[in-house]
Amino acid sequence: MFGYIIPDQQAMTPEAQQRYRTAYCGLCRRTAALHGMAGRLTLSYDLTFLDLLLCSLYEGETPETVETGRCPVHMIRPIQWRYSGPTDYCADIGLALHYYSAKDKWQDDRSLPGLGYMKLLQARRQEAEARWPRPCRAITRGLAQLAEYEAAGCEDLDLVSGCFGDLMAELFDYKQDRWSPELRAVGANLGKYIYLLDAWDDLPRDLRRGSYNPLKSLSAAPDYEEQMREIFELLLAQAAAAFRRLPCVEDADLLENILYSGVWLKYHVENRRRQSR
C-alpha cells in the first residue's frame, strides 16, 4: 500500500520539482542516518508527503537543516537536501510500516522475500518503537485488526477501509495538539483512499487467483466503476478540506499539487489501461 500519495511532476515548475527533491532526499538522508543503508529501502513518496506536511505546519519550531553532498544514488554531482524536526519521525514511522508490511506478507503468503526484509529491519524497528511507542502501537493494532477482517472475508468497505484510515490518522497526529482534528482527518481520509485504491487496483488479479478483496461483490454491480470514482472523490475532497484548515505556508504549493493532482495519477493510468482493453 505504498506509492499512491505521489507528486504530479508534470504540473510542477522546475523550482517546485527541485524543492520536492530536496525534501525527498532529506528524508532519505535522515532515514539512512537512523537506520543505515537498509533504512533507505523504506523510503516512500507517502512518507515524504507526511514529512512535507508536518515540516510546513510546524515551521520554525525546529531549525531547518540544508546541506549539499553526494549519495550512493547520485555519485556524479552533488545534491542538496533539507530536513527539520518531523523528518526523523517520518523516517522511523516509514521503517515501522515497511517492517510490519513485510511481516504480513510472510505470515499470510509465506513470502521468503517478506521474511528476509522483515529480518533485515528487525533491530531498527525496535529502535523506532522505543522512540515512538504510540504510533507504532497503532500500526501493530491496526494491521492486526485489518488481518482479522480480511481473514473473515469482510466486504464492509467502511469497516475495512476505516481500519486503515484509523491507523493513518494516528500516524498523522504527530504532536496530539490543537491541530490534531485536522491532521487526523487528512490521515484518515487518505488512509481509506489508499486502502480502497489498492483493492481496486488489485481486483483483476485477486479475481483470477481467488484471493480476498473487499470489492468482489460490489464489482458485479453495473455501476461499479462509477461508485468507486464517487467514493474516491469524496474521500479526497474530505482530506483536502481538512488540509485547507491547516495554516501551512511553506511548500503549500507542493502539498496542494499532491493532494489535488498527484493522488489521482495511478488511478488515471490504471483506468485508461482498463478502458483500452
Side-chain angles (χ1 to χ4, degrees):
M1 294 182 192
F2 300 104
Y4 289 112
I5 312 302
I6 60 178
D8 184 352
Q9 299 278 2
Q10 293 185 344
M12 285 181 173
T13 64
E15 184 270 339
Q17 291 177 12
Q18 172 61 18
R19 281 190 288 118
Y20 183 85
R21 280 195 295 272
T22 61
Y24 184 85
C25 291
L27 179 58
C28 179
R29 195 78 177 183
R30 290 308 302 157
T31 302
L34 291 168
H35 304 298
M37 289 302 296
R40 290 184 188 269
L41 300 175
T42 69
L43 187 65
S44 72
Y45 290 118
D46 312 77
L47 270 297
T48 302
F49 170 78
L50 180 58
D51 183 39
L52 281 167
L53 176 62
L54 296 178
C55 288
S56 179
L57 180 60
Y58 296 106
E59 179 187 2
E61 293 192 9
T62 54
E64 181 181 66
T65 299
V66 180
E67 298 175 337
T68 301
R70 300 181 187 274
C71 78
V73 179
H74 303 88
M75 296 291 292
I76 298 176
R77 70 178 78 177
I79 62 166
Q80 188 178 81
W81 59 84
R82 60 189 170 108
Y83 57 87
S84 60
T87 306
D88 284 9
Y89 170 76
C90 294
D92 280 341
I93 294 305
L95 185 128
L97 279 168
H98 278 80
Y99 171 84
Y100 284 106
S101 175
K103 185 177 180 180
D104 281 350
K105 289 178 181 178
W106 165 245
Q107 292 178 337
D108 294 346
D109 306 322
R110 282 298 183 259
S111 165
L112 291 178
L115 175 63
Y117 194 28
M118 181 181 73
K119 289 189 175 297
L120 183 66
L121 301 178
Q122 171 71 27
R124 303 298 186 174
R125 185 268 306 175
Q126 293 172 339
E127 295 173 4
E129 288 185 348
R131 284 189 286 267
W132 306 101
R134 178 191 58 83
C136 287
R137 281 196 303 269
I139 294 172
T140 57
R141 183 173 61 246
L143 292 181
Q145 181 64 74
L146 197 55
E148 290 183 17
Y149 289 147
E150 293 178 349
C154 180
E155 294 190 357
D156 184 328
L157 299 188
D158 287 335
L159 201 60
V160 291
S161 70
C163 185
F164 195 69
D166 290 344
L167 186 163
M168 291 291 284
E170 289 288 341
L171 302 189
F172 272 62
D173 193 2
Y174 173 49
K175 287 193 171 185
Q176 295 188 298
D177 58 10
R178 60 176 175 152
W179 302 119
S180 290
E182 287 75 23
L183 286 171
R184 293 181 71 87
V186 175
N189 284 289
L190 285 180
K192 292 176 185 178
Y193 173 76
I194 291 169
Y195 184 85
L196 291 176
L197 183 61
D198 190 60
W200 176 83
D201 193 28
D202 288 346
L203 182 65
R205 183 194 64 188
D206 290 339
L207 289 175
R208 289 194 304 271
R209 296 180 177 180
S211 302
Y212 166 79
N213 191 299
L215 301 177
K216 278 186 178 180
S217 295
L218 181 61
S219 66
D223 61 344
Y224 163 66
E225 292 294 348
E226 290 78 7
Q227 286 192 58
M228 293 307 301
R229 173 76 188 210
E230 289 176 2
I231 291 171
F232 295 150
E233 287 177 344
L234 176 62
L235 291 173
L236 292 178
Q238 292 175 162
F243 165 73
R244 287 193 294 270
R245 295 192 293 271
L246 294 169
C248 294
V249 176
E250 183 183 25
D251 294 326
D253 59 329
L254 302 183
L255 294 164
E256 290 169 355
N257 169 282
I258 296 167
L259 275 175
Y260 301 151
S261 181
V263 291
W264 283 105
L265 289 179
K266 291 204 171 184
Y267 171 82
H268 289 318
V269 168
E270 176 60 18
N271 198 40
R272 285 195 296 269
R273 190 177 69 82
R274 293 184 185 187
Q275 292 178 353
S276 66
R277 289 176 179 173

